[in-house]
Amino acid sequence: MKRNWIGGTFGWLWLLVVLLPIYFVGITAFKSISTYFGSNPVLPSLPVAVENFTAVLEADFGMYLLNSVLVALGTVVPLVLMAFMASYAIVRGARRVFAPVRSIFLLGLAIPVQATIVPIYLLIIQMRMYDSLAALMLPGIAFGLPLSILIIANSLRDVPNELFEAMSIDGCTEWQKMWRLALPMTQPALVTVAVYQALMSWNGFLFPLILTQSPDKRTLPLALWSFQGEYATNVPVVMAAVVLSSIPILVLYAFGRRYLVSGMTAGAGK
Amino acid sequence: MTTASPASAPARAQRPGRRPAGAPEPVQLSHLLFAAPALLFFTVFALLPLIGVVVLSFTTWNGIGTIEFTGLTSWKEALTRSSTWHGLWLVMLMIAATWLLQTPLSILLGTFLAGAQRYRNVLAILYFLPLLLSSAAIAITFKSLLDPNFGLASGLNIAWLAQNWLGDARLVWVVLLFIIAWQFIPFHTLIYQGAVRQIPASMYEAAQIDGASRARRFLSITLPQLKFTMITSSTLMVVGALTYFDIIFVLTQGGPGVATRILPLDMYLTGFRGNEMGVASCLAVMLVVIGLGLALGVQSLGGKDASASQMEGA
């Protein structure tokens, strides 16, 4: 068979395009400020400088990291729980009530989140939650529900009806069926939702921007942004901050690639 | 459902619970309780804000003081501002340019990655990397990369790369479109890769026996088979382009001047910097309406079947 030259050329060229900026961040983070100004920008230079990372850690990076972790956990755990329970009701419940419920959640897929920031800001102020980490979790949960329910309900629908009937005959309640049968059977979907929503929360920028103002409430993307303002002339320090803020996500990708990919394509893959 | 004919009665009696034929399925309290927390959250923090933005568009509010209902005042203000029309024009430009740039590239790369060779799986893993990074991190990275003195231009010693990329009203768009393509092409490539892999191999084999060239096979088999995927990908792309915010916010803040002040950014700046929440709400309503219109428009390009099959599995 003849080789696919066009595809191949594009494929490898794109790899270069993808990797070059990442490579640049990686090598620049390990340059001291003087080598940054003196050396070739696209070549690594020795000796390796770790001072940038120390500087980032001293600039309260640990606090921003903790904030991001707290917001991600506070969003993902209730989100997965609620989405799972709602999916159970939608798949197992009476159609005449839960088909409309399903439609309401599907409608949510079409809401552009950006368009709701003014009312959400008003709502959070009224609830006296402005400038708190909890304020970031609430809209995160709400806007994560539609896709999460879509993924979990699809997986739950594949569980054979006979298994549920067998449990009914054994006298199990709906509550027991949900936790003992539905939960283990939909585990991959639950992990997919959790991993994907954790990524969304981790990289979220808009809600932290409009719902917080104190430096001690900043999550990582917002902290990166203000870092860039403070250290405008010290690019290596900023690049070190980019590296440190991305490491947790790279770890997540290394262990849960399959789940991340299916989470990403779930909304589109049909 | 409610008027079951006698013929269907035996089949229905088989179902658990053994309801009399024709009786509506009973609604269980437990199911309602299971769905309640999600419904409550979704109603309060997603549906209510969606209605709220329409209500707020008929008010005047500076973000701190009292909210006053002022009828169409904010709408008149929003619709007579040149910044609104400028933002609208830019967002249309963004949608068109994004689509034209990303769709062909994503299809090509997706088709390439769909090949069975093992190294292409490795490429797919690496292609995915930009999707992991926050927009803030990406914008900051490219800002340094584009620096004329300490970035790519001096590193590779290519003179034409040393331009004032973010300071020129035209060049900044080249940069923006490139960065957004860098960020999102991996996602669409992923969708197309999955879709190409689902095309039956027998179709290609038949074409090969007929002596069809690679280009011919791509045009007559691959592309037509990707129709529904193209609709899905385009919908996500078009609606996504309507709401790009963080990357532009961090990279240019709408500048130079107002060159990149697209509608979503204009909305944020009007509301949260200019303290005109009423006018910002009008702009938000426009975004919702345009978004829905575009989504329905793209979907209808694929005919009724497409949207029907989309909702089927949900």
Side-chain angles (χ1 to χ4, degrees), chain A residues 70-88:
Chain A
L70 289 176
V71 172
L73 283 177
T75 307
V76 171
V77 173
L79 170 57
V80 172
L81 263 178
M82 282 193 244
F84 169 65
M85 292 176 66
S87 303
Y88 185 89

Side-chain angles (χ1 to χ4, degrees), chain A residues 1-8 10-12 14-15 17-22 24-25 36-38 40-42 82-83 85-86 88-89 92-98 101-102 104-125 127 137-139 141-143 145-146 149-150 153-154 157 161 165 174-175 178 199 202-206 209-210 221-222 224-225 228 235 238-239 242 245-246 249-250 253 257 260-261 264-265 267-270, chain B residues 1 15-16 24-28 30-35 37-39 41-42 44-50 52-53 56 61 63-64 67 105 108-109 112 119-121 123-137 139-145 147 149-152 154-156 178 181-182 185-187 189-191 208 214 217 232 236 239 242-246 249-250 253 264 267-268 271-273 277 280-281 284-285 287-288 291-292 309-314:
Chain A
M1 200 157 129
K2 267 199 332 196
R3 286 187 143 257
N4 179 1
W5 287 109
I6 303 174
F10 264 109
W12 290 101
W14 186 255
L15 185 68
V17 169
V18 164
L19 291 184
L20 189 72
I22 296 169
F24 177 78
V25 173
Y36 171 72
F37 285 122
N40 186 320
V42 293
M82 282 193 244
M85 292 176 66
Y88 185 89
R92 304 293 311 165
R95 275 193 65 81
R96 97 194 121 90
V97 172
F98 289 101
V101 168
R102 195 199 70 168
I104 291 174
F105 282 116
L106 280 182
L107 178 81
L109 289 173
I111 303 177
V113 181
Q114 268 90 343
T116 59
I117 57 174
V118 174
I120 284 181
Y121 171 74
L122 173 62
L123 197 62
I124 293 293
I125 287 182
M127 296 174 76
M137 301 167 191
L138 300 176
I141 294 171
F143 285 104
L145 281 170
I149 289 178
L150 185 82
N154 272 346
R157 204 165 278 123
N161 198 30
E165 281 171 20
E174 287 298 297
W175 177 260
M178 182 165 74
L199 176 70
W202 193 265
N203 286 340
F205 187 81
L206 190 60
L209 181 69
I210 61 159
L222 209 56
L224 272 184
W225 174 58
Q228 176 221 222
V235 174
V238 179
M239 292 299 122
V242 170
S245 75
S246 312
I249 287 297
L250 291 175
Y253 185 52
R257 192 180 88 85
L260 253 184
V261 173
M264 286 248 168
T265 49
K270 284 190 281 101
Chain B
M1 196 65 186
R15 298 189 61 171
E25 209 175 343
V27 177
Q28 296 193 36
S30 56
H31 291 150
L32 290 174
L33 290 175
F34 295 166
L39 262 178
F41 253 83
F42 187 66
V44 174
F45 293 103
L47 291 183
L48 197 65
L50 192 64
V53 77
L56 284 171
W61 180 40
I64 305 160
I67 303 172
L105 270 174
L108 271 177
L109 290 170
F112 173 66
Y119 77 94
R120 296 193 185 174
N121 284 330
L123 287 189
I125 292 174
L126 294 171
Y127 277 11
F128 197 88
L129 290 173
L131 290 172
L132 302 172
L133 306 174
S134 68
S135 295
I140 290 168
T141 301
F142 274 94
K143 238 179 180 172
S144 333
L145 205 55
D147 188 290
N149 299 313
F150 307 106
L152 209 52
S154 86
L156 299 176
F178 179 81
W182 189 82
I185 280 183
F187 172 72
T189 300
L190 208 64
I191 300 182
Q208 215 156 9
R214 183 184 293 277
R217 273 176 280 150
T232 313
L236 294 171
V239 177
L242 185 70
T243 53
Y244 288 148
F245 174 82
D246 27 13
F249 181 81
V250 177
Q253 296 262 320
M267 179 198 72
Y268 168 80
F272 290 85
R273 294 280 170 86
M277 294 295 193
S281 299
V285 172
L287 279 178
V288 174
L292 279 178
S309 72
Q310 280 283 299
M311 306 298 280
E312 200 62 36

Side-chain angles (χ1 to χ4, degrees), chain A residues 173-194:
Chain A
T173 61
E174 287 298 297
W175 177 260
Q176 288 167 323
K177 285 190 239 172
M178 182 165 74
W179 296 113
R180 291 199 205 148
L181 175 60
L183 186 74
M185 295 295 270
T186 52
Q187 204 199 358
L190 297 178
V191 178
T192 296
V193 166

Side-chain angles (χ1 to χ4, degrees), chain B residues 230-311:
Chain B
M230 276 173 85
I231 289 164
T232 313
S233 157
S234 301
T235 309
L236 294 171
M237 209 182 268
V238 159
V239 177
L242 185 70
T243 53
Y244 288 148
F245 174 82
D246 27 13
I247 201 118
I248 305 178
F249 181 81
V250 177
L251 197 69
T252 69
Q253 296 262 320
V258 290
T260 53
R261 193 171 158 137
I262 66 168
L263 200 58
L265 187 62
D266 187 45
M267 179 198 72
Y268 168 80
L269 295 173
T270 304
F272 290 85
R273 294 280 170 86
N275 300 322
E276 296 173 289
M277 294 295 193
V279 181
S281 299
C282 298
L283 302 178
V285 172
M286 290 169 73
L287 279 178
V288 174
V289 173
I290 298 171
L292 279 178
L294 283 171
L296 291 175
V298 177
Q299 295 279 328
S300 71
L301 285 180
K304 263 198 170 141
D305 300 343
S307 59
S309 72
Q310 280 283 299
M311 306 298 280

Side-chain angles (χ1 to χ4, degrees), chain A residues 22-33:
Chain A
I22 296 169
Y23 164 79
F24 177 78
V25 173
I27 59 164
T28 311
F30 288 100
K31 285 180 181 177
S32 70
I33 186 73

